[in-house]
């Protein structure tokens, strides 16, 4: 059976968690698992990927320390040509979005992204079937990737548990030719503005979403949160609109939170939002749409108008 | 300064879902059509770049979509916002099946425009592959940056400086050679509303219709679509708002005590 190539993701000298989730998925898929680690000093990242399930680590030395999409594309294309894997797994992440689809388009690979389930089918396991969501998570789809050519698959972060346990993989070094010129160059990182609130340490988050239809209503929920001794948080649309500061954003592009209680009012539950709060101890969701995705992760739910419920809650705290 | 914006007509589900007889898609009667949210931001950003560029009104914003006649609606919305021209790439059967195929259909019409910048949304709200823009950049041989929340570019300069929004709110400041393709994230701007006069004028504008480039082999195919398993799901609290609130208060207080 042909192998699976995992491309490690790293940021500022650390391997990101999604890498070990990709390793779990690769090991489940079957076939030898190779992890490619790119960096100015890839050996320094070895401990972050040498975990159970990995057969081989390929270290690719690059001229730049941080991610640049041309560099990753060139390296992964070279590894695909050399190793002819059944599947190449990337994270469905901002970095992955910058080069994964380009490789698939250039080499004519099978392709699917935001995938949360994988299986091999056919006599020699040559056909890969992915599970993913469509139409705002309201339906799921089984997607077949064509047999006979490699598939490039981008996996949803947090969909698989991270691989742990001792490794012991064989380590090889690869050179992928002259670095050439990178057309989109990393200059520096800019941090989000500092804030005096930290939603990641709060025990009780009152989180609001698109259901709050006007900026003028935000102060009401600030007051409600104070009354309930909760910390106010929100989903991406409210931060995009400038109604709440970015320090209060829950989700993949904001903060990952695990409070004792997460009370979501008017949040439908985009995948990126769920990834940032689904590990909360207790989730209660109020939404007017009975099909809202948030009810899939909530422990308690209510189909109701959030303002009606909020006005009643106000009296009880 | 010429900017091409690739936009998509997306399909949204209401509360009810039924599937087609072959089980491979949702019955179209249960879908509502609209301009993809990310593409509205991309169109707005193109208009703003045009407005502040050296040649001002001399710049041009061209919107392109792949789709059948119904997709003309999203082009007209972009025209009403202020885009100068619109092109619809005629979609044959399977033309929208996967993002790589869509990128192939877009490649020749976009290349023919010889744009200084190509903007797309990061992803579409219905298929969420976040792939068409990056795949298109490859087919056009353009440098690209995905998930952009800020674009600093002076007309005529050989590079642009953009903000790439990473997970957790960290920003990667990236310098990119132009011409380039950028995929635009929500939050970069607030898309403008079109006034009634502009909407009326957009209705009368002519839309160019072109044939797609050869499709090649599909990158994937849907074999089954289904309602997601509910899993354990939430325990639903029924009743009037007062009863729901009382139960929530009880549960919260118990958990935090």
């Amino acid at each position: 059976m042909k192998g699976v190539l995992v491309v490690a993701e790293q940021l500022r000298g650390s391997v990101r968690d999604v890498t070990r989730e990709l390793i779990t998925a690769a090991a489940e898929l079957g076939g030898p698992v190779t992890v490619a680690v790119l960096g100015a000093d890839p050996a320094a990242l070895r401990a972050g990927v040498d975990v159970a399930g990995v057969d081989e680590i390929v270290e690719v030395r690059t001229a730049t320390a941080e991610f640049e999409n041309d560099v990753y594309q060139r390296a992964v294309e070279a590894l695909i040509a050399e190793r002819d894997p059944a599947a190449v797994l990337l994270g469905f992440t901002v970095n992955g979005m910058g080069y994964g689809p380009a490789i698939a388009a250039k080499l004519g690979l099978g392709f699917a992204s935001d995938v949360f389930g994988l299986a091999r089918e056919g006599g020699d396991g040559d056909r890969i079937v992915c599970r993913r969501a469509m139409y705002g998570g309201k339906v799921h789809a089984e997607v077949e990737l064509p047999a006979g050519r490699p598939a490039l698959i981008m996996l949803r972060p947090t969909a698989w548990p991270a691989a742990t346990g001792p490794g012991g993989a064989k380590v090889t070094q690869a050179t992928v030719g002259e670095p050439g010129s990178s057309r989109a160059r990393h200059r520096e990182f800019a941090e989000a503005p500092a804030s005096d609130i930290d939603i990641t340490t709060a025990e009780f988050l009152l989180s609001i979403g698109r259901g709050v239809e006007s900026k003028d209503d935000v102060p009401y929920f600030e007051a409600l949160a104070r009354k309930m001794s909760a910390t106010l948080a929100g989903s991406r649309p409210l931060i995009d609109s400038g109604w709440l500061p970015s320090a209060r954003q829950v989700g993949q592009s904001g903060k990952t939170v695990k409070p004792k209680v997460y009370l979501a009012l008017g949040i439908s539950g985009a995948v990126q939002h769920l990834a940032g709060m689904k590990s909360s101890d207790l989730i209660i969701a109020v939404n007017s749409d009975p099909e809202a995705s948030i009810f899939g992760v909530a422990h308690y739910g209510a189909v109701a108008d959030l303002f009606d419920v909020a006005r009643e809650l106000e009296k009880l705290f | 300064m010429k900017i091409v914006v690739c936009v998509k007509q997306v399909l949204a589900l209401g509360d009810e879902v039924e599937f087609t007889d072959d089980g491979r898609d949702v019955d179209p009667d249960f879908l509502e059509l609209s301009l993809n949210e990310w593409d509205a931001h991309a169109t707005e950003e193109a208009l703003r770049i045009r407005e502040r560029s050296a040649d001002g009104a001399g710049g041009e914003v061209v919107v392109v979509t792949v789709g059948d006649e119904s997709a003309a609606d999203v082009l007209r919305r972009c025209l009403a916002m202020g885009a100068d021209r619109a092109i619809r790439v005629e979609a044959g059967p399977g033309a929208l099946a996967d993002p790589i195929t869509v990128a192939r259909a877009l490649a020749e019409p976009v290349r023919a425009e010889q744009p200084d910048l190509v903007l797309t949304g990061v992803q579409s709200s219905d298929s969420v592959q976040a792939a068409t823009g990056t795949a298109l950049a490859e087919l056009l041989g353009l440098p690209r940056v995905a998930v952009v929340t800020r674009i600093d570019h002076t007309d005529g300069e050989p590079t642009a400086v953009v903000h790439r929004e990473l997970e957790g709110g960290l920003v990667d400041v990236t310098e990119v050679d132009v011409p380039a393709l950028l995929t635009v994230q929500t939050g970069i701007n607030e898309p403008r509303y079109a006034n009634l006069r502009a909407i009326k004028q957009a209705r009368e504008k002519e839309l160019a219709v072109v044939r797609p480039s050869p499709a090649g082999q599909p990158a994937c195919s849907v074999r089954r679509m289904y309602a997601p398993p509910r899993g354990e799901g939430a325990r639903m609290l029924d009743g009037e708002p007062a009863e729901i609130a009382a139960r929530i208060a009880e549960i919260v207080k118990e958990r935090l005590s």
Side-chain angles (χ1 to χ4, degrees):
Chain A
M1 190 155 36
K2 283 183 181 175
V4 180
L5 175 66
V6 169
V7 184
E9 199 159 313
Q10 55 108 351
L11 178 74
R12 298 167 132 179
S14 297
V15 174
R16 297 172 90 177
D17 291 344
V18 67
T19 306
R20 289 178 288 272
E21 297 164 17
L22 298 175
I23 290 168
T24 300
E28 278 176 21
L29 199 53
V33 175
T34 301
V35 180
V37 183
L38 280 71
D41 181 14
L45 301 167
R46 195 180 295 164
V49 296
D50 193 9
V51 292
V54 180
D55 297 288
E56 184 190 359
I57 297 167
V58 186
E59 296 177 346
V60 182
R61 189 176 290 275
T62 57
T64 47
E66 296 299 340
F67 173 86
E68 291 186 356
N69 59 46
D70 283 340
V71 174
Y72 271 64
Q73 181 175 353
R74 203 175 299 120
V76 174
E77 284 174 358
L79 291 170
I80 292 171
E82 184 186 298
R83 287 153 186 272
D84 189 29
V88 181
L89 303 185
L90 311 187
F92 186 58
T93 60
V94 172
N95 285 358
M97 290 170 197
Y99 74 103
I103 296 174
K106 181 174 176 182
L107 304 181
L109 308 182
F111 177 84
S113 69
D114 195 21
V115 167
F116 53 77
L118 280 175
R120 276 189 175 197
E121 293 184 357
D124 51 0
D126 194 31
R127 190 169 65 244
I128 295 174
V129 179
C130 303
R131 275 187 296 129
R132 63 189 311 281
M134 288 190 70
Y135 305 120
K138 289 183 176 178
V139 301
H140 287 180
E142 283 176 6
V143 175
E144 273 184 14
L145 302 180
R149 47 191 162 127
L152 191 140
I153 308 166
M154 300 177 62
L155 303 188
R156 176 183 292 183
T158 74
W160 277 267
T164 53
K170 179 174 80 167
V171 178
T172 55
Q173 271 82 28
T175 45
V176 294
E178 285 302 304
S181 63
S182 186
R183 301 169 299 171
R185 298 165 292 276
H186 165 75
R187 267 194 179 176
E188 59 177 340
F189 290 114
E191 306 284 349
S195 168
D196 53 356
I197 51 148
D198 184 1
I199 59 170
T200 65
T201 56
E203 286 203 334
F204 178 18
L205 285 176
L206 171 65
S207 199
I208 55 178
R210 229 191 264 260
V212 175
E213 286 169 2
S214 161
K215 183 176 188 175
D216 299 339
D217 290 323
V218 173
Y220 170 76
F221 289 96
E222 282 168 353
L224 178 63
R226 264 197 305 278
K227 209 154 183 236
M228 297 176 79
S229 303
T231 302
L232 187 69
S235 65
R236 176 160 191 125
L238 273 62
I239 282 78
D240 276 353
S241 306
W243 298 0
L244 283 176
S246 61
R248 294 194 190 265
Q249 186 186 342
V250 174
Q252 230 158 57
S253 52
K255 298 281 190 292
T256 299
V257 298
K258 293 177 187 176
K260 281 189 180 166
V261 178
Y262 189 87
L263 174 56
L265 300 182
I267 294 177
S268 59
V271 172
Q272 291 84 353
H273 184 79
L274 301 184
M277 48 63 78
K278 68 180 183 183
S279 304
S280 304
D281 289 350
L282 180 72
I283 300 167
I284 307 169
V286 178
N287 202 291
S288 56
D289 175 5
E291 300 296 324
S293 307
I294 191 124
F295 293 131
V297 301
H299 302 94
Y300 292 93
V303 179
D305 179 84
L306 76 137
F307 291 96
D308 292 346
V309 174
R311 274 187 287 270
E312 296 296 335
L313 275 173
E314 202 186 324
K315 303 174 192 164
L316 300 168
F317 284 83
Chain B
M1 182 85 177
K2 188 195 273 188
I3 306 171
V4 167
V5 187
C6 301
V7 302
K8 180 182 181 186
Q9 183 172 53
V10 290
L11 307 165
L13 273 178
D15 294 348
E16 305 264 320
V17 182
E18 281 189 23
F19 295 95
T20 53
D21 289 343
D22 67 3
R24 287 170 178 240
D25 210 335
V26 170
D27 186 324
D29 287 350
F30 292 81
L31 292 165
E32 294 157 15
L33 308 175
S34 61
L35 173 63
N36 181 37
E37 181 185 351
W38 282 263
D39 301 344
H41 289 276
T43 303
E44 174 65 33
E45 197 60 21
L47 296 173
R48 291 186 188 196
I49 294 169
R50 183 191 66 185
E51 282 156 9
R52 63 174 181 250
S53 73
D55 49 0
E60 194 177 27
V61 173
V62 183
V63 287
V64 185
T65 194
V66 181
D68 60 18
E69 271 175 40
S70 75
D73 288 349
V74 297
L75 294 178
R76 292 198 192 282
R77 170 151 174 218
C78 297
L79 289 171
M81 284 173 73
D84 300 288
R85 282 194 291 127
I87 301 170
R88 179 169 66 83
V89 182
E90 186 67 72
L96 297 169
D98 70 81
I100 310 294
T101 303
V102 173
R104 287 191 191 117
L106 287 165
E108 279 314 315
V110 173
R111 192 196 310 274
E113 293 291 330
Q114 298 186 295
D116 300 293
L117 274 182
V118 181
L119 303 184
T120 70
V122 166
Q123 62 187 20
S124 59
S125 57
D126 53 1
S127 2
V128 200
Q129 299 260 21
T132 304
T134 297
L136 176 62
E138 176 65 33
L139 299 173
L140 296 172
L142 289 180
R144 75 278 168 174
V145 181
V147 193
V148 168
T149 51
R150 178 181 170 144
I151 302 171
D152 289 320
H153 178 57
T154 307
D155 213 0
E157 291 292 318
T159 60
V161 176
V162 302
H163 285 189
R164 194 168 71 95
E165 184 195 63
L166 300 180
E167 290 80 4
L170 187 67
V171 167
D172 177 10
V173 182
T174 300
E175 180 189 61
V176 59
D177 297 340
V178 289
L181 183 146
L182 308 173
T183 81
V184 171
Q185 174 67 303
T186 60
I188 191 170
N189 55 38
E190 188 65 40
R192 69 193 67 186
Y193 289 102
N195 62 39
L196 282 173
R197 190 163 149 262
I199 292 169
K200 192 162 172 278
Q201 282 171 343
R203 254 186 244 138
E204 285 150 17
K205 278 199 187 173
E206 202 165 315
L207 309 177
V209 180
V210 301
R211 313 292 319 167
S213 321
Q217 286 183 296
C220 64
S221 62
V222 173
R223 75 172 180 192
R224 186 168 84 92
M225 222 176 257
Y226 54 100
R230 268 304 184 182
E232 288 165 25
R235 270 185 61 188
M236 299 310 282
L237 311 172
D238 298 319
E240 293 300 309
E243 299 167 66
I244 292 169
R247 279 289 286 139
I248 291 174
E250 190 186 340
I251 295 162
V252 168
K253 286 173 181 170
E254 186 199 311
R255 185 56 67 110
L256 294 175
S257 63

